[in-house]
Amino acid sequence: MMSTPGETGTESWPLWEVFVRANRGLSHVHVGSLHAPDSDMAVRNARDLYTRRNEGVSIWVVPADAITTSDPDAKGAYFESPAGKNYRHAVYYTKSEGVKHL
Amino acid sequence: MTSPADLSVVENEAGQALFDDLIAKDSRIEPRDWMPEAYRKTLIRQISQHAHSEIIGMQPESNWITRAPSLKRKAILMAKVQDEAGHGLYLYSAAQTLGITREEMMDQLIEGRARYSSIFNYTTPTWADMGAIGWLVDGAAICNQVPLCRASYGPYGRAMVRICKEESFHQRQGFEILLELMQGTEAQREMAQDAVNRWYWPSLMMFGPPDDQSPNSAQSMAWNIKRFSNDELRQRFVGMLVPQAEVLGVTLPDPALRFNEETGEYDMSEIDWTEFNEVLAGRGPANAERLRRRREAHENGAWVREAAHEYARKQAARAAAEVA
């Protein structure tokens, strides 16, 4: 497991990842990152930077170094389990074609 | 036994193979993927220069905020300059994902070690310049930037998507300023034409040197950072301008400009690359002024950054003490 890109110990201000909820009922979606001294300033900066055109009704900011991510180099092996298990998808089952409400 | 040096060679080979495969599939490279050092360096240079251009680009227009002819125009201009600050910040964040710090980029800019688009070294003596910048400079920028939305480096492409969405308002408001002037008095029409005369050639230079003199283009295209050549984009831009100039009623200041039925392209006069190189070398009309103001703003803001940092440190210490 690795830290998040862009997060370096040499920055005087930490990097924050910004998530915006476009409307009630939708989830917060990652929109980008920014640079701020603390979480209050990060939220204010995120408002100015990422919601200048009514893009959202709610903002989350997360310190980039608080995010744990999977190892990108292990992509193949790590996500191998679903491969070959297409019976997990409805389209796998074709015999019911033409039958209503299925 | 395998030495660490051998291991890193093996890792690099595997990384290069994965990288080549992603590029061949026209997929995206993400921050923690292995990437060739030259790719990383090229992107850091390009994205930070792009960010610097947005930040320096605030100056020629902020020059007119206090003197815009109406409250509406003032509000629009402020929104546009604010967008440019935002674009700079998206891009600095994207560059940071490649391992360069914000401070390093700032230092490179204010110490004059980094480049930014030469176009911002021209001055804005009249209100019509706000129109010409929006129509021609932002127009050329959009032409350059739309293909960058598909740049192979994920964070760069995503920043560009956001920027392009916002940029189209910039171009339209510029066109509208010129249109209003062209429908005004004789003096206003002259002012609009004069601004178009001054900004036309510099805006064509924004696409960079001709293809046969652009040494880095081939590599950038092979890496899917750049999608079209400088000359292709310049042609596309001129093709869009010609009918727009007719709507405006302005004349594009190139007597040789005409559509060539045989080649399917616009014939145009030779661009004065001496001027381009002079401005690039720091001898443009406002190079020194732009950097001086940027440096001053940075230095004058130092106490704010320090205070915010110190406040954050104290708050964190207090919170830690309360938990303990």
Side-chain angles (χ1 to χ4, degrees), chain A residues 2 11-12 52-53 69 72, chain B residues 32 83 96 102-103 166:
Chain A
M2 301 168 82
E11 294 278 9
S12 57
R52 287 196 302 282
R53 290 177 173 78
T69 58
Chain B
R32 286 184 305 99
D83 273 355
Q96 280 174 274
R102 184 75 58 109
E103 275 93 348
E166 299 180 351

Side-chain angles (χ1 to χ4, degrees), chain B residues 260-281:
Chain B
N260 184 328
E261 296 285 351
E262 275 173 37
T263 60
E265 292 193 335
Y266 280 89
D267 292 337
M268 45 182 112
S269 306
E270 188 69 25
I271 292 177
D272 181 4
W273 293 108
T274 322
E275 176 187 324
F276 178 77
N277 290 324
E278 281 293 293
V279 182
L280 205 62

Side-chain angles (χ1 to χ4, degrees), chain B residues 6-315:
Chain B
D6 293 337
L7 263 182
S8 75
V9 169
V10 172
E11 268 175 30
N12 281 352
E13 278 173 4
Q16 181 79 53
L18 186 64
F19 176 85
D20 291 343
D21 186 46
L22 286 169
I23 295 291
K25 283 193 293 202
D26 199 2
S27 184
R28 298 291 175 266
I29 307 299
E30 293 295 340
R32 286 184 305 99
D33 289 339
W34 185 94
M35 60 186 90
E37 255 333 279
Y39 177 82
R40 184 185 298 276
K41 270 195 190 146
T42 298
L43 279 167
I44 288 181
R45 199 189 58 231
Q46 181 170 339
I47 301 173
S48 62
Q49 282 180 5
H50 196 159
H52 297 328
S53 303
E54 298 282 356
I55 297 300
I56 296 287
M58 295 162 76
Q59 291 186 33
E61 295 181 289
S62 66
N63 179 36
W64 276 94
I65 289 178
T66 54
R67 292 172 293 150
S70 67
L71 193 56
K72 182 183 90 171
R73 290 287 169 204
K74 217 173 270 207
I76 291 172
L77 202 53
M78 278 200 282
K80 182 172 189 286
V81 172
Q82 196 189 11
D83 273 355
E84 274 142 20
H87 297 174
L89 297 182
Y90 305 151
L91 289 164
Y92 282 130
S93 294
Q96 280 174 274
T97 64
L98 290 157
I100 187 169
T101 64
R102 184 75 58 109
E103 275 93 348
E104 280 173 87
M105 288 186 276
M106 279 299 132
D107 288 346
Q108 287 174 354
L109 176 62
I110 61 175
E111 288 165 13
R113 287 183 285 127
R115 279 189 173 157
Y116 53 86
S117 182
S118 291
I119 195 84
F120 302 116
N121 291 318
Y122 291 88
T123 55
T124 48
T126 74
W127 170 248
D129 289 328
M130 298 303 98
I133 286 184
W135 180 45
L136 296 171
V137 176
D138 293 319
I142 292 172
C143 237
N144 255 330
Q145 290 172 352
V146 166
L148 286 174
C149 295
R150 293 188 292 126
S152 58
Y153 188 57
Y156 190 30
R158 292 192 285 273
M160 291 316 305
V161 168
R162 206 163 246 293
I163 290 173
C164 285
K165 263 190 212 161
E166 299 180 351
E167 204 75 49
S168 61
F169 126 64
H170 298 184
Q171 195 188 14
R172 284 191 181 197
Q173 66 87 37
F175 185 88
E176 210 184 274
I177 289 173
L178 289 179
L179 193 65
E180 267 179 45
L181 288 172
M182 288 306 289
Q183 290 166 352
T185 64
E186 184 56 32
Q188 284 172 323
R189 280 196 295 277
E190 271 170 27
M191 191 201 273
Q193 181 63 56
D194 167 66
V196 170
N197 292 349
R198 283 182 290 109
W199 290 95
Y200 178 74
W201 290 109
S203 75
L204 294 194
M205 294 177 199
M206 285 173 70
F207 296 93
D211 293 347
D212 53 5
Q213 291 160 43
S214 179
N216 301 325
S217 283
Q219 181 60 75
S220 281
M221 286 175 86
W223 278 330
N224 292 342
I225 297 172
K226 200 173 162 68
R227 299 284 178 166
F228 302 98
S229 79
N230 296 351
D231 287 330
E232 277 177 293
L233 291 168
R234 193 165 12 241
Q235 274 288 333
R236 187 180 300 177
F237 179 55
V238 169
M240 292 193 275
L241 286 187
V242 169
Q244 291 171 356
E246 277 172 30
V247 176
L248 286 174
V250 295
T251 309
L252 296 176
D254 180 2
L257 183 66
R258 62 180 54 84
F259 189 71
N260 184 328
E261 296 285 351
E262 275 173 37
T263 60
E265 292 193 335
Y266 280 89
D267 292 337
M268 45 182 112
S269 306
E270 188 69 25
I271 292 177
D272 181 4
W273 293 108
T274 322
E275 176 187 324
F276 178 77
N277 290 324
E278 281 293 293
V279 182
L280 205 62
R283 293 185 287 272
N287 295 55
E289 165 70 4
R290 298 291 184 244
L291 265 193
R292 184 187 63 75
R293 276 194 62 192
R294 182 61 234 150
R295 200 177 304 121
E296 260 177 28
H298 189 72
E299 284 162 7
N300 292 341
W303 71 271
V304 180
R305 292 191 300 276
E306 276 162 31
H309 182 69
E310 189 52 19
Y311 179 79
R313 194 190 62 77
K314 277 190 184 160
Q315 291 294 314

